Amino acid sequence: MGVDQGPSDSGRQPSRKPADALASLAREPVTFRFKGLPPDAEAAGLDVGALAAQRRNLFDGGFTTPLLALSAESLDHNLALLGHYAEQHSLAFAPHGKTSMSPQLFARQLEHGAWGITAAVPHQARVYRAYGIQRIFLANEVVDPAALRWIAGELDADPDFRLVVYVDSVRGVELMDQALRDAGARRPLDVVVELGAGEGARTGARTAADCAAVADAVAATGTLRLVGVAGYEGEVPQADERRVQAWLRRLVELAAEFDRAGRFAGSLDEIVVSAGGSAWFDAVALVFAEIPELSRPVLKLLRSGAYVSHDDGHYQELTPFNRVPDEGALRPAFRLWAQVVSRPTPTQAFVNAGKRDAAHDLHLPRAQVVRSARDGKIRPADGITVTGLSDQHGWLRTDEPAAALEVGDWVGLGLSHPCTIFDKWQLIPVTDADGTVVDFVRTFF
């Protein structure tokens, strides 16, 4: 699964060897550093690739609980679906990598046609570069001199590397310019002006006049190059279809205003217009289809990221595919397996997974299935509700017909908000429907 996007028009090969970097992940030793892996695999000196090749079963192959697993089938489905969606709607796609921080998943996203990968902070971009990513959209203003010195070095060392970064303030532009000049940067850093999503929203210049002032500040530097506009519609206050589409049209009009005013550099091949989280990408597709003809081709860049694993809560409820079901449907790919370790009363049980293991910032986990410790049979988790999480325990309320729940049984939990699930697990088994482990996904947080 390489991420090599091929040589540029100049014929120069990328400076990284992504296939080699990805292969090195399989050579990592199986140790106590990774939660849930079989202790006997460490004792035998196995590496991750050798353990995957054994195709052990999740339930009787020596893995310990709690244990997070990813469905191979759901991953395949979700990756293909969003790749097809972007193509069908003439969108370039730079999925947000902060969701998974997994080089293996980045590679698969690129194989499905992604333009590049989105980052939120410089550290994430460093991980991407270590695994050969040639195009990065960094959706944040970067004012750290050390990070900008690293960026200047990456750009100067690799002419084929493209990085696009937010700017949203005159002061930020001044700090970026100073740091890049101090670093002796030889290539200008491509920037997009971020339009804020409204009063009380997160980052971004609030008005067209504010955006113009930032663009003027960029033009006054020799280290930055204005290439477009961007923002995040998920922060629109009281977001609904009407409000989100109205803000997206403001973003499109800002790009058109900048173009009419000649604000984009004369050497530019394309104008970047970017938005798109995981809750409103249908609105992005709709409004971006209305972008008028500008002086140069427009790179309509979508940045949704949570689709890779989807979830059993937040995004399952908000997914645009609920509004446009003819386009398909994402599938939750996570399941956290925990074991019942205490059954103190007929209406109460505790499993050995808690805040350290499960996302809990938006919704509590949902009990989905129970695997009997007696006969290995799996049944629906009817009558079982997760009511709370301690550091290492999940609190379950058990109602009829769940009274048969016993100590030692495995409980499969659905999880909400993938952005805070991957960061709790450094190495995640990927399983077939029968529980056979076919691969492992490495994460870097």
Side-chain angles (χ1 to χ4, degrees), residues 313-375:
H314 183 68
Y315 286 114
Q316 189 176 46
E317 296 163 0
L318 294 178
T319 176
F321 290 121
N322 290 339
R323 296 186 291 270
V324 285
D326 290 345
E327 299 261 22
L330 293 168
R331 300 175 185 172
F334 281 118
R335 180 163 285 171
L336 177 63
W337 288 98
Q339 276 187 289
V340 178
V341 293
S342 180
R343 190 76 163 94
T345 74
T347 60
Q348 195 175 34
F350 292 86
V351 292
N352 61 348
K355 294 178 182 178
R356 310 288 184 184
D357 314 296
H360 55 90
D361 58 321
L362 294 178
H363 300 285
L364 288 171
R366 298 174 179 176
Q368 295 178 326
V369 295
V370 175
R371 184 180 188 275
S372 170
R374 293 182 182 272
D375 58 18

Side-chain angles (χ1 to χ4, degrees), residues 136-138 140-142 148 151 155 162-169 172-173 176-177 180 187-194 211 214-221 223-230 258 263-265 268 270-274:
I136 299 173
F137 187 97
L138 206 165
N140 224 335
E141 188 168 74
V142 179
L148 288 161
I151 286 171
L155 290 170
R162 184 170 190 198
L163 176 67
V164 180
V165 179
Y166 273 5
V167 289
D168 80 343
S169 66
V173 169
M176 294 171 77
D177 178 49
L180 291 168
R187 281 180 64 191
L189 173 60
D190 287 348
V191 297
V192 290
V193 172
E194 182 193 5
C211 290
V214 175
D216 288 341
V218 170
T221 73
T223 58
L224 303 175
R225 182 175 73 152
L226 183 64
V227 300
V229 298
F258 277 12
R263 293 188 182 278
F264 297 122
L268 214 59
E270 62 191 6
I271 296 169
V272 178
V273 182
S274 179

Side-chain angles (χ1 to χ4, degrees), residues 77-139:
H77 171 83
N78 294 345
L79 288 163
L81 181 61
L82 257 290
H84 177 73
Y85 183 90
E87 182 180 9
Q88 286 292 103
H89 290 276
S90 300
L91 299 169
F93 192 28
H96 214 312
K98 69 175 176 61
T99 302
S100 70
M101 288 304 295
S102 170
Q104 292 135 308
L105 294 182
F106 300 160
R108 295 189 64 183
Q109 288 169 318
L110 291 166
E111 288 172 352
H112 281 281
W115 171 92
I117 306 294
T118 295
V121 292
H123 163 72
Q124 293 168 0
R126 290 183 62 200
V127 174
Y128 302 177
R129 288 299 285 160
Y131 289 89
I133 304 299
Q134 288 292 93
R135 296 188 187 126
I136 299 173
F137 187 97
L138 206 165

Side-chain angles (χ1 to χ4, degrees), residues 64 116 138 152 160-161 169 205 227 245 274 278 281 289 327 355 385 408 437:
T64 65
L138 206 165
D160 295 323
F161 172 45
S169 66
V227 300
Q245 289 180 25
S274 179
S278 294
F281 56 75
E327 299 261 22
K355 294 178 182 178
T385 304
V437 176

